[in-house]
Amino acid sequence: MIAEPPPEEEAPREDEWLPPEDYPAATAGRPASGPTPPGAEAIPDILDRLANVEEVAGYVYEELSNYPAGGPWFWKELNLKQRRELWVELGEFVTWLQNRILRHWSNTEGSIAPCWYLHPDAVEQLTALMIAHKAAYRAKSKKPSFELTEWFTRALWPTMEAFTRRATFKSCLSEREHRPSSGGIVLDDASTAFRDFVAQATTEPATAAVPLPPQSNDGGAGA
């Protein structure tokens, strides 16, 4: 009795999709059916981008789960441990910025004073500058772009011009020691006048106008 030969394994259809790991085995030994399909050369680049997206997604999830809604750079909402970590990171960035870039300026007013951490307004602006630098320089992209140039033109130069215009470090730099600012008006959102205003404004009918400040009695109607 002659044994029948085993049935030949059916080759996959031309339009059948196979996972990347199964495709080489399924197509082994098949003759080339024609030229490379359009766009096939872009597949490695697409896979590389997907890997980058996965990495960024993991980073974003970690950041959102470990820090408050205001973000890991919103000083007001950070706990002590988070503040300590941010101070260290900001200190490293400011030191690098001064020593790498700003110290080479001819204008000494374009420097950051050693007491920068004692200026709350400067701390907030330098934090924003650091975050912009992270976004520009740590993006997972291999393609040339204007992001690095824009960090200088849209972030660094305007920040330093604001420090100069507002004389943030002027006295500290000229006298080589920390000089607190003269101080401006301090607002209080818990003041009695403000609370009374909010209470009145939020209890009036929806169609009523916002209450106006009281008028003086210097002149009467029809005067």
Side-chain angles (χ1 to χ4, degrees):
M1 184 175 183
I2 300 175
E4 296 183 0
E8 296 182 359
E9 185 175 346
E10 184 179 357
R13 301 189 309 274
E14 294 291 340
D15 59 347
E16 181 180 2
W17 180 88
L18 292 174
E21 61 271 16
D22 296 339
Y23 186 79
T27 58
R30 293 177 57 189
S33 57
T36 303
E41 64 278 0
I43 291 179
D45 184 49
I46 294 176
L47 294 177
D48 184 49
R49 291 185 182 182
L50 290 176
N52 290 336
V53 169
E54 183 178 6
E55 182 179 354
V56 172
Y59 173 78
V60 171
Y61 174 78
E62 181 181 358
E63 291 293 318
L64 293 178
S65 59
N66 292 338
Y67 291 95
W73 310 290
F74 186 29
W75 287 96
K76 182 177 179 294
E77 298 295 332
L78 299 183
N79 58 38
L80 293 179
K81 179 177 181 296
Q82 293 165 345
R83 286 193 174 201
R84 187 177 299 108
E85 293 175 352
L86 185 54
W87 273 122
V88 172
E89 183 181 13
L90 183 61
E92 293 175 352
F93 171 78
V94 173
T95 301
W96 167 85
L97 177 64
Q98 173 64 29
N99 296 343
R100 177 64 174 174
I101 300 175
L102 303 181
R103 68 183 292 263
H104 300 286
W105 288 11
S106 299
N107 180 9
T108 57
E109 291 185 359
S111 293
I112 296 177
C115 59
W116 61 268
Y117 50 86
L118 299 177
H119 297 260
D121 56 331
V123 170
E124 295 289 348
Q125 293 184 76
L126 290 170
T127 301
L129 186 63
M130 179 183 69
I131 302 314
H133 186 271
K134 289 164 67 76
Y137 279 81
R138 298 188 182 182
K140 295 290 185 177
S141 176
K142 299 179 182 178
K143 292 187 175 182
S145 71
F146 289 96
E147 292 182 358
L148 306 189
T149 301
E150 289 180 347
W151 178 77
F152 283 90
T153 58
R154 300 179 60 187
L156 177 58
W157 306 147
T159 299
M160 299 311 300
E161 289 173 1
F163 287 155
T164 302
R165 185 171 60 254
R166 297 176 180 274
T168 302
F169 302 126
K170 183 175 181 179
S171 298
C172 302
L173 290 172
S174 62
E175 302 186 26
R176 297 184 177 275
E177 63 178 342
H178 176 60
R179 292 296 184 183
S181 62
S182 58
I185 297 175
V186 177
L187 300 180
D188 182 11
D189 60 356
S191 66
T192 302
F194 178 70
R195 289 189 175 186
D196 291 345
F197 172 83
V198 172
Q200 182 181 0
T202 55
T203 55
E204 293 291 330
T207 56
V210 175
L212 299 175
Q215 300 294 326
S216 63
N217 297 325
D218 294 343

